[in-house]
Amino acid sequence: MITYQIGLPEPHTHSFHVTLTIPAPHAEQRVSLPVWIPGSYLVREFARHLSGLQATHRGKPVAVQQIDKATWLVRCKPGAALTLSYRVYAFDTSVRAAFLDAQRGFFNGTSLCLRAEGFEQRLHRLELPTLPEGWQVATSLPALSVDAAGRGAYGAADYDELVDHPVELGTFWRGTFEVRGAEHELVVAGALPDFDGERLLADTQRICEAQIAFWHGAADVPPFAHYVFLLNAVDDSHGGLEHRASTALIAPRRDLPQRGKPESVTLSDGYVSLLGLISHEYFHTWNVKRLRPAEFARYDYTRENYTELLWFFEGFTSYYDDLLLRRAGLIDDERYLRLLAKTVSGVLATPGRQVQSVAQASFDAWVKYYRTDENTPNATISYYTKGALVALALDLSLRSEAGAAKRGGRAATLDTVMRHLWAASAGGPISEADIAAALQHVGRRSFAAALAAWVHGTGELPLQPLLAAAGVAWQPQSATLAQRLGLRVSESALTGVKVSHVLAGGAAQQAGLSAGDELLALDGWRLRRLDDALRLLAPGQAATLLAARDQRVLSLALTLPSTDAGNPLAAVSLALQDKPAQPALALRKAWLGT
Ligand SMILES: [Zn+2]
């Protein structure tokens, strides 16, 4: 058994002290730290925080040879254990790495646990023998023998399992509920004293019930017996990372529900966004942790793991996260359509949708999605948001065709496609061909052309007619001045009006503006905010713009396009049609679950 003992003798120094014991090492024993964490597709080089690696063998210190940025080698004799000790600096507040201070600890195994190469399939044991006074442990890692606070030993069947259960340490709010025999635990660190834990627990339970019913119908049990939500409430951050039996979440503490507040107040946009995050990560328990790209059947922790399928695993999960909030009755139709309109508008505001397909965006996630810069909206599209709209287009296509053909009440929906994929793959690795086959099986026609155009192409999705057939009106909004000029800005009293992005083909690009430029004045008038320019620009007529770049002041000719009609960046809003025809009304009710 490979054993890791985790010590935190001086939490304020942000250092975990790790002792790894390999009972019967190879003659040339290699150990390595992952360069990435599954679920977050960027090489993060966790080894940069590892230091002081020392080895003991047969009672004596032995040499450790570094092989590459994340791999070390120790020469061993047979019949004696190898012990490695090292420190890991942990001051990353995200859900992807490790954090430790005098108030709280958190870690993923990918940050702390060197992989004993050649022993990955053996049992792994993680020991937390001592904790600061009053601290507790929360994790989905199976306990072997622990006390009431969680001090003691945890076990994993292999290295993959060991690093797929994040661990929360400290003091926190804790609540539990059960769904179909599966124990669910909600752990919240960092909440304000008036945090309404019971409210969040009850709403989370409704999400879990809706999702288990989604995947397993009325009777079956979920593919886990114990699930843990680890939520860290902070001043200002939002995100999550999925695991096989838990998720690590981070959210603004102001978004948590407060005791004694009526529903209308606590159902703020922030709280709905937190529920959407919970729904998203929980959906991943099926979609990406079990049903997963064939390329992820076995993770390679030493390098990028490429797949073209993140539009499905992230995009479809993004489609269902808010939709299942609606179906669970946590939000109403109007709120759901507002959230959907935001996704649609975000994609429309991104010229990169005409440059990069979502399949390409998936493959390139490692160098593009997680490494955004000022050119990102011109060159890339998010596989989350456009992937969600591909799911919407497929779902509404299936539903409208099934309704039109009146196929004896046969449920042709994307839900059925997801369940078909789950059953056909036994909850395991799938390829794009499997997705195409499931669509064909459920929809009784080929969707090859749709997948070619929507997933591998860069044309527009036919959302407007599909939504109309579902009784939802598409209402284009007027373009903002920034959209009419083809730029994005940040504004503050300190920095003035600063260009963050110049969008390809727009008036700002034609005028010669660059990201980073400060907009100073227009036709002799000082600009305090971009909208000051509304009263200074006449459509079709060039104005003189003064901009500052690297201490130089530039004079540029800026022309506001003469018409706003059909601005491709403009937002849309979505609304329930007042009196839709009967088929559209029936489709809408079935789709939204009302
Ligand atoms: Zn996700």
Side-chain angles (χ1 to χ4, degrees):
M1 181 148 33
I2 308 299
T3 301
Y4 302 82
Q5 194 174 89
I6 312 292
L8 38 158
E10 302 167 305
H12 63 282
T13 65
H14 318 300
S15 266
F16 284 104
H17 294 220
V18 185
T19 307
L20 161 61
T21 305
I22 306 171
H26 296 299
E28 298 206 329
Q29 181 62 53
R30 293 160 67 107
V31 294
S32 59
L33 202 63
V35 301
W36 70 291
I37 181 166
S40 186
Y41 307 103
L42 174 68
V43 169
R44 293 183 189 275
E45 315 289 22
F46 298 121
R48 75 190 195 275
H49 296 307
L50 189 150
S51 65
L53 180 59
Q54 294 181 332
T56 309
H57 184 54
R58 302 200 302 167
K60 288 189 303 239
V62 288
V64 179
Q65 182 187 351
Q66 185 159 10
I67 302 297
D68 63 30
K69 64 186 181 182
T71 310
W72 293 264
L73 182 147
V74 184
R75 290 173 217 285
C76 299
K77 298 270 193 275
L82 169 65
T83 301
L84 295 159
S85 63
Y86 52 96
R87 292 180 185 204
V88 175
Y89 177 72
F91 201 52
D92 183 326
T93 52
S94 83
V95 293
R96 302 154 177 153
F99 178 86
L100 183 63
D101 72 5
Q103 277 72 48
R104 172 181 178 258
F106 171 83
F107 66 86
N108 288 286
T110 37
S111 281
L112 257 59
C113 298
L114 282 170
R115 179 168 58 96
E117 295 190 6
F119 295 108
E120 290 89 342
Q121 304 309 313
R122 300 289 180 86
L123 292 176
H124 284 61
R125 179 182 169 96
L126 186 123
E127 297 176 353
L128 282 158
T130 54
L131 292 174
E133 182 71 28
W135 281 30
Q136 297 203 319
V137 181
T139 180
S140 53
L141 197 59
L144 297 176
S145 85
V146 301
D147 67 12
R151 269 182 301 256
Y154 296 82
D158 52 32
Y159 184 79
D160 279 337
E161 186 184 353
L162 176 78
V163 301
D164 202 15
H165 296 277
V167 177
E168 173 78 23
L169 307 166
T171 56
F172 31 73
W173 186 94
R174 208 164 192 167
T176 60
F177 58 85
E178 198 185 293
V179 186
R180 294 207 200 157
E183 168 99 336
H184 289 67
E185 194 177 1
L186 174 63
V187 172
V188 183
L192 292 167
D194 66 350
F195 164 54
D196 187 349
E198 297 306 325
R199 169 73 193 277
L200 183 59
L201 195 68
D203 289 347
T204 302
Q205 180 168 356
R206 286 167 72 175
I207 293 168
C208 297
E209 284 166 351
Q211 295 204 8
I212 291 173
F214 175 92
W215 288 102
H216 303 291
D220 278 359
V221 295
F224 48 82
H226 181 215
Y227 188 93
V228 184
F229 294 93
L230 300 174
L231 169 60
N232 183 30
V234 297
D235 183 20
D236 192 19
S237 190
H238 177 89
L241 193 57
E242 66 277 7
H243 299 281
R244 66 181 66 185
S246 62
T247 177
L249 309 165
I250 189 162
R253 43 176 83 80
R254 65 178 173 276
D255 288 351
L256 298 183
Q258 300 170 46
R259 276 195 307 273
K261 290 282 172 100
E263 179 148 328
S264 59
V265 177
T266 53
L267 211 59
S268 65
D269 284 351
Y271 185 51
V272 170
S273 154
L274 169 61
L275 294 178
L277 177 67
I278 287 170
S279 180
H280 181 97
E281 302 305 340
Y282 192 67
F283 197 83
H284 272 318
T285 317
W286 290 265
N287 199 41
V288 92
K289 293 312 297 188
R290 288 174 176 81
L291 207 60
R292 60 190 185 277
E295 294 87 350
F296 293 176
R298 182 106 251 145
Y299 295 126
D300 182 346
Y301 294 104
T302 68
R303 55 191 292 272
E304 293 85 351
N305 289 214
Y306 296 102
T307 176
E308 281 195 352
L309 288 180
L310 297 179
W311 60 269
F312 179 84
F313 289 99
E314 287 299 349
F316 282 40
T317 299
S318 297
Y319 173 59
Y320 278 111
D321 56 21
D322 290 338
L323 184 56
L324 289 172
L325 293 186
R326 173 66 203 104
R327 295 208 189 137
L330 289 162
I331 55 173
D332 59 16
D333 288 347
E334 287 77 8
R335 179 73 79 110
Y336 175 67
L337 291 181
R338 280 218 300 280
L339 294 169
L340 185 59
K342 198 173 160 205
T343 305
V344 173
S345 300
V347 170
L348 291 177
T350 308
R353 74 183 188 282
Q354 293 164 333
V355 175
Q356 190 189 45
S357 72
V358 281
Q360 291 170 327
S362 301
F363 198 83
D364 246 358
W366 300 87
V367 294
K368 290 192 176 155
Y369 185 80
Y370 285 94
R371 287 184 180 156
T372 55
D373 60 29
E374 69 288 344
N375 194 44
T376 293
N378 289 327
T380 72
I381 187 66
S382 160
Y383 48 79
Y384 284 88
T385 52
K386 189 182 167 190
L389 299 184
V390 170
L392 171 70
L394 288 170
D395 198 8
L396 294 182
S397 299
L398 286 162
R399 286 171 186 275
S400 59
E401 291 168 25
K406 292 240 186 329
R407 285 177 180 135
R410 188 170 184 272
T413 69
L414 194 63
D415 311 356
T416 327
V417 171
M418 300 303 285
R419 286 190 284 269
H420 180 81
L421 279 167
W422 178 262
S425 69
I430 59 167
S431 64
E432 186 174 323
D434 296 319
I435 298 168
L439 283 164
Q440 178 150 5
H441 173 82
V442 172
R444 297 188 179 179
R445 71 163 174 93
S446 167
F447 281 77
L451 291 175
W454 302 348
V455 171
H456 297 277
T458 56
E460 304 295 352
L461 302 172
L463 295 178
Q464 192 171 351
L466 286 168
L467 285 162
V472 173
W474 174 283
Q475 301 167 332
Q477 304 295 292
S478 308
T480 62
L481 180 61
Q483 287 167 339
R484 293 173 71 185
L485 293 172
L487 48 62
R488 298 182 189 171
V489 298
S490 64
E491 296 171 322
S492 82
L494 210 63
T495 59
V497 184
K498 200 148 190 190
V499 177
S500 59
H501 302 82
V502 175
L503 300 179
Q509 191 178 58
Q510 272 162 16
L513 280 168
S514 293
D517 287 355
E518 187 187 347
L519 306 187
L520 300 174
L522 199 60
D523 278 348
W525 292 91
R526 184 79 169 98
L527 291 176
R528 295 293 183 193
R529 55 201 71 76
L530 184 66
D531 280 351
D532 290 347
L534 273 173
R535 298 170 66 179
L536 302 168
L537 284 165
Q541 290 177 23
T544 301
L545 173 70
L546 289 189
R549 181 186 308 166
D550 186 28
Q551 288 194 317
R552 282 177 231 264
V553 173
L554 312 172
S555 179
L556 304 170
L558 177 67
T559 307
L560 183 67
S562 48
T563 171
D564 165 38
N567 186 308
L569 303 173
V572 294
S573 66
L574 301 174
L576 297 172
Q577 285 175 359
D578 260 352
K579 291 192 176 66
Q582 185 49 38
L585 185 63
L587 197 166
R588 189 171 82 196
K589 284 184 166 173
W591 170 46
L592 298 176
T594 42

